[in-house]
Amino acid sequence: MPPPLFGQLVHVAPENFVGRPNSEGGNGFVKKDHADGSFDITYCMDGLVEKNVNRLRITSLNPLVTTARRTNGTDVARPSLLAPSHQPQQRSSPLTLTQPPTPPTSPRGIQHIIIQSRDWSKYDCHPNPLLVHLRDGRSKPKAWLRIDEGDYNKYEKGKKKGEMKSHLNELENNKLVTIKHELERIIHFFDRGQWPNGFTPHADLAYAYGVSVRKVRHCVNSHLRKNGSGKRKVRHDAGKTILNSPEMRQKMYTPYNYFKKLQRKNNPGVSIRDNELKEAYDKLDEHQLHEMKLGAEAEKSIAANIVSEIKTALQKTNGCISWERLASFIAGGENKVQPVSSITLAKYVTATEGFRYFVTQTLPQCTTEHTKKWRKRWSTNFHIFWEGAKMVANKVQVVYFHIDEKWFYSLVIRMHNKCVPALGVQNI
């Protein structure tokens, strides 16, 4: 157990916390010692009490001497503040007071904590810094270490845009494995391989990263299997689609795939299993098989020039076309097999820069006698107002008016029109 500090005057460095107010630190008297090495302190300036202060935050065990030395920067012969011959220096103006330098704060970053842990010995008077750091994190929100380090990835789209991803990236995974290895090294310092009372580092580590203990073991094993790397496997065809890759078109548009789409197109609403389609395809004669090959080649040709087809269709309709009709237009008609589905087209077009939806026009509806009556009254009043505005046109240059009519029943001619600046389609 570390030596007691009760009643001693110490200087404590400031520290930032998550989920509770930060500590400004300062000089104070130790009010109470705890068994784990922490203590409660009463600050001299404001009389506030801070509990469970980590001993690593102590920067001086005799702040009076330290302060005297800091204020004696120009007079080498000046005695210590504790000496009887000490005489305070007279200053001409309060503006000339020099502030002592800010005391050093606790190290930031888990890498500095690991370095302190490697320098730690079981004969030291204070507990292991890494164990204390992980234990103190229990008072913070889950995944607090990921938040403090700030190395996590964020969602770029959707409702979770800007939020932290649950998956650990390569840098976070490497740090997690390093901490785990350090804990396995520390355990050998304790008798019978048991952690001291009040410390549960494996559970604390899982809590610090917001994962389970089993996930921590999985990350370590995966790190070893990948030769000390945390990189995820990358697909050999990553970034390749039927729109930009001949290899993907060659793989996707085959006679058999064309046959399956054709059968499902000719039999809407009928559930046909793949094994049934495979048997039917194997029974095709040479003429039918030749037609399937021609259909697959036609799909490849359409997919190779699909960007220009999309651009033509959107420009002809000025974006006033549904995704289903766009897919049918590219296929050559509603009865044709679609080489590209409406979902694929929507993903491609909406991913272009500057894409957005817009509404063509909204028209009022006069479907009841009440709406007809109020519509006529509003039109008459507006006509009188506008004719009156014309009468003073020579004297008044600008007429400000505001119309806020919400009682009209309206008809939206078309919604979800496509504005695609990348393909030359602008809303009108």
Side-chain angles (χ1 to χ4, degrees):
M1 183 175 177
L5 298 174
F6 176 77
Q8 187 169 348
L9 178 64
V10 297
H11 186 279
V12 177
E15 186 174 10
N16 297 329
F17 299 100
V18 177
R20 60 191 179 102
N22 298 330
S23 174
E24 298 180 357
N27 298 328
F29 291 92
V30 177
K31 183 179 180 181
K32 181 180 179 181
D33 290 287
H34 297 286
D36 57 358
S38 61
F39 58 92
D40 300 344
I41 183 173
T42 302
Y43 291 107
C44 299
M45 294 296 296
D46 49 16
L48 296 179
V49 178
E50 184 178 358
K51 297 183 178 181
N52 299 323
V53 180
N54 194 336
R55 291 205 175 204
L56 297 178
R57 292 176 56 190
I58 298 178
T59 60
S60 175
L61 294 176
N62 199 342
L64 294 178
V65 176
T66 304
T67 305
R69 290 173 180 173
R70 287 174 180 170
T71 57
N72 193 23
T74 58
D75 188 4
V76 180
R78 184 182 177 190
S80 170
L81 182 65
L82 299 181
S85 59
H86 170 73
Q87 296 294 333
Q89 294 180 350
Q90 300 294 330
R91 293 177 173 84
S92 59
S93 173
L95 297 178
T96 61
L97 291 174
T98 58
Q99 296 294 335
T102 305
T105 58
S106 58
R108 297 181 180 272
I110 190 63
Q111 63 274 12
H112 299 291
I113 303 296
I114 296 176
I115 294 175
Q116 289 184 352
S117 176
R118 292 184 179 275
D119 296 336
W120 177 84
S121 172
K122 65 178 181 179
Y123 300 105
D124 292 345
C125 60
H126 56 82
N128 184 273
L130 180 59
L131 300 184
V132 175
H133 189 64
L134 294 177
R135 184 197 60 187
D136 294 345
R138 281 291 187 170
S139 61
K140 303 178 182 180
K142 196 173 183 179
W144 62 269
L145 187 55
R146 297 187 63 191
I147 299 174
D148 291 352
E149 295 293 318
D151 299 323
Y152 56 86
N153 295 333
K154 300 180 181 180
Y155 290 99
E156 299 179 356
K157 297 181 180 179
K159 297 181 180 179
K160 296 184 178 180
K161 182 177 180 180
E163 296 183 8
M164 179 176 60
K165 287 187 176 182
S166 58
H167 178 75
L168 304 180
N169 57 32
E170 182 181 2
L171 180 57
E172 291 181 308
N173 189 81
N174 292 338
K175 289 185 178 181
L176 173 62
V177 174
T178 304
I179 298 174
K180 178 68 173 177
H181 289 167
E182 178 63 16
L183 293 179
E184 293 176 353
R185 187 189 70 87
I186 298 174
I187 188 65
H188 299 290
F189 285 95
F190 303 102
D191 297 335
R192 294 178 296 178
Q194 295 183 358
W195 298 108
N197 294 333
F199 292 97
T200 55
H202 293 297
D204 295 342
L205 177 60
Y207 181 83
Y209 277 88
V211 297
S212 62
V213 178
R214 182 178 180 182
K215 177 65 175 179
V216 174
R217 292 195 297 267
H218 172 75
C219 291
V220 174
N221 295 335
S222 178
H223 187 271
L224 296 175
R225 285 194 297 267
K226 296 177 181 178
N227 296 326
S229 173
K231 292 184 178 180
R232 302 185 65 184
K233 291 184 179 180
V234 180
R235 295 180 51 170
H236 68 281
D237 57 351
K240 297 181 179 180
T241 64
I242 57 176
L243 304 180
N244 59 14
S245 173
E247 298 178 1
M248 294 297 295
R249 289 195 290 268
Q250 187 70 24
K251 181 180 179 181
M252 181 65 64
Y253 299 116
T254 61
Y256 173 59
N257 288 338
Y258 179 80
F259 174 76
K260 290 196 300 182
K261 290 190 288 186
L262 180 62
Q263 294 301 315
R264 292 191 169 111
K265 181 73 176 180
N266 296 333
N267 300 277
V270 180
S271 178
I272 307 177
R273 294 181 296 181
D274 288 346
N275 56 354
E276 296 176 354
L277 293 173
K278 181 61 177 177
E279 294 176 1
Y281 178 77
D282 294 336
K283 296 178 181 180
L284 295 179
D285 54 25
E286 294 183 0
H287 178 70
Q288 294 174 330
L289 186 60
H290 180 68
E291 291 182 353
M292 299 301 109
K293 292 181 180 180
L294 293 179
E297 292 297 329
E299 286 188 323
K300 292 180 186 178
S301 178
I302 294 174
N305 304 283
I306 196 170
V307 177
S308 59
E309 294 289 336
I310 296 173
K311 184 177 181 179
T312 301
L314 291 176
Q315 288 181 350
K316 284 184 177 180
T317 60
N318 194 38
C320 300
I321 185 173
S322 64
W323 300 118
E324 290 76 10
R325 286 183 55 197
L326 181 60
S328 299
F329 177 85
I330 294 175
E334 296 182 357
N335 297 327
K336 300 290 185 177
V337 176
Q338 296 180 358
V340 181
S341 65
S342 59
I343 299 176
T344 304
L345 290 175
K347 289 181 178 180
Y348 171 76
V349 177
T350 55
T352 58
E353 184 178 1
F355 173 85
R356 64 183 180 87
Y357 288 107
F358 69 94
V359 178
T360 304
Q361 189 177 4
T362 302
L363 296 179
Q365 282 185 307
C366 297
T367 54
T368 63
E369 293 296 330
H370 179 73
T371 56
K372 291 178 181 179
K373 176 182 177 180
W374 280 97
R375 176 65 180 176
K376 180 180 178 181
R377 178 180 297 181
W378 180 86
S379 301
T380 303
N381 294 336
F382 182 78
H383 177 75
I384 296 173
F385 164 78
W386 194 244
E387 291 298 327
K390 291 180 180 179
M391 293 175 62
V392 296
N394 296 330
K395 299 180 180 180
V396 182
Q397 297 296 327
V398 180
V399 178
Y400 292 96
F401 64 93
H402 175 70
I403 299 175
D404 186 12
E405 298 292 343
K406 299 183 175 66
W407 49 267
F408 288 144
Y409 291 95
S410 60
L411 171 65
V412 179
I413 294 182
R414 174 160 182 81
M415 298 178 64
H416 298 99
N417 298 314
K418 288 80 178 169
C419 176
V420 195
L423 300 179
V425 182
Q426 300 286 348
N427 63 318
I428 298 178

